[in-house]
Amino acid sequence: GENVEQHPSTLSVQEGDSAVIKCTYSDSASNYFPWYKQELGKRPQLIIDIRSNVGEKKDQRIAVTLNKTAKHFSLHITETQPEDSAVYFCAARLYNQGGKLIFGQGTELSVKP
Amino acid sequence: GAVVSQHPSWVICKSGTSVKIECRSLDFQATTMFWYRQFPKQSLMLMATSNEGSKATYEQGVEKDKFLINHASLTLSTLTVTSAHPEDSSFYICSARDRISGNTIYFGEGSWLTVV
């Protein structure tokens, strides 16, 4: 089955700096890659997603890149703010598997003012 | 946007008892829902796929007799933790995909289960 690896597990940056979180997946049949932000005890919130037919997607300070050949995708947050502090999860969905997501291990991002 | 409601948001039960958690899609029909478990400071682990009108599909290592899943309608899936033990204490969260809107997957609010 699909396996998703996420790095780093913790990331600390200064306010205003950029943060990058990387994920790799194992199954080349995966075709949808969402990123979630989760605050303690709450549901994951979708922040950005990308499909396998697209290499890059940007939404204001957040961008995601996908390298299908290498089977990895990355989340980029620019001009970080303290409110960006949370746990971020990447995920992958196999083609034709409905909404079944396999999650990475998570990255705890801390943005220091 | 689409909403998935989960109930209860938290529950405390005694060891050996069973507890049921409900997951409802409020404004869309979900033929498939998913149940995840999340231990503190860990990732979301997929437990099972809940299929409307048929048996659930369980992930490897998940005991189907312990975690009973019923998907009786297009808007409701239930997870029953039977004969609960303290090690079952966790955050349980469901998700569903709105097929009409495309890829978007919606999560319930999650349910904190504490077994004492």
Side-chain angles (χ1 to χ4, degrees):
Chain A
E2 175 65 282
N3 183 49
V4 179
E5 296 288 332
Q6 183 173 346
H7 299 280
S9 56
T10 60
L11 179 59
S12 181
V13 299
Q14 287 294 132
E15 182 177 1
D17 288 350
S18 295
V20 180
I21 303 171
K22 298 183 179 182
C23 287
T24 59
Y25 60 99
S26 61
D27 197 322
S28 56
S30 291
N31 67 343
Y32 175 66
F33 307 93
W35 284 90
Y36 291 89
K37 176 182 180 182
Q38 188 182 32
E39 297 178 358
L40 186 62
K42 297 190 176 180
R43 77 179 98 193
Q45 296 283 350
L46 178 69
I47 57 172
I48 197 166
D49 56 10
I50 191 167
R51 298 186 190 191
S52 57
N53 60 347
V54 175
E56 184 174 357
K57 184 177 177 180
K58 189 174 182 180
D59 182 5
Q60 299 183 347
R61 297 188 296 109
I62 296 172
V64 56
T65 59
L66 171 65
N67 183 326
K68 282 175 56 179
T69 303
K71 291 189 283 188
H72 66 68
F73 55 114
S74 300
L75 176 71
H76 304 252
I77 305 174
T78 59
E79 300 171 31
T80 53
Q81 302 165 3
E83 50 265 39
D84 294 330
S85 297
V87 179
Y88 291 81
F89 291 98
C90 64
R93 188 192 75 183
L94 283 169
Y95 171 75
N96 217 23
Q97 291 264 326
K100 178 178 177 178
L101 295 175
I102 304 301
F103 283 83
Q105 295 85 348
T107 297
E108 185 172 3
L109 174 64
S110 175
V111 181
K112 299 184 185 304
Chain B
V3 176
V4 173
S5 176
Q6 199 170 329
H7 178 81
S9 54
W10 60 270
V11 58
I12 300 173
C13 71
K14 291 184 177 180
S15 284
T17 61
S18 297
V19 61
K20 180 186 288 186
I21 301 169
E22 293 185 347
C23 179
R24 294 181 185 272
S25 56
L26 296 185
D27 52 2
F28 66 97
Q29 293 182 335
T31 54
T32 306
M33 293 185 176
F34 302 88
W35 286 97
Y36 295 84
R37 179 169 55 183
Q38 186 177 32
F39 291 111
K41 292 190 174 294
Q42 294 189 23
S43 185
L44 288 84
M45 299 301 296
L46 180 66
M47 298 176 66
T49 301
S50 173
N51 304 300
E52 188 267 335
S54 65
K55 291 182 179 180
T57 305
Y58 289 82
E59 296 297 304
Q60 192 172 6
V62 177
E63 300 175 60
K64 58 182 66 177
D65 294 331
K66 181 170 183 62
F67 299 99
L68 301 180
I69 291 172
N70 184 275
H71 196 147
S73 76
L74 286 171
T75 59
L76 174 64
S77 175
T78 61
L79 169 68
T80 301
V81 183
T82 64
S83 187
H85 292 287
E87 55 264 32
D88 297 324
S89 299
S90 184
F91 187 57
Y92 292 86
I93 191 164
C94 67
S95 72
R97 185 171 78 120
D98 180 358
R99 297 203 303 174
I100 295 176
S101 73
N103 282 316
T104 306
I105 296 159
Y106 298 94
F107 282 87
E109 305 97 327
S111 299
W112 284 100
L113 169 63
T114 301
V115 184
V116 297

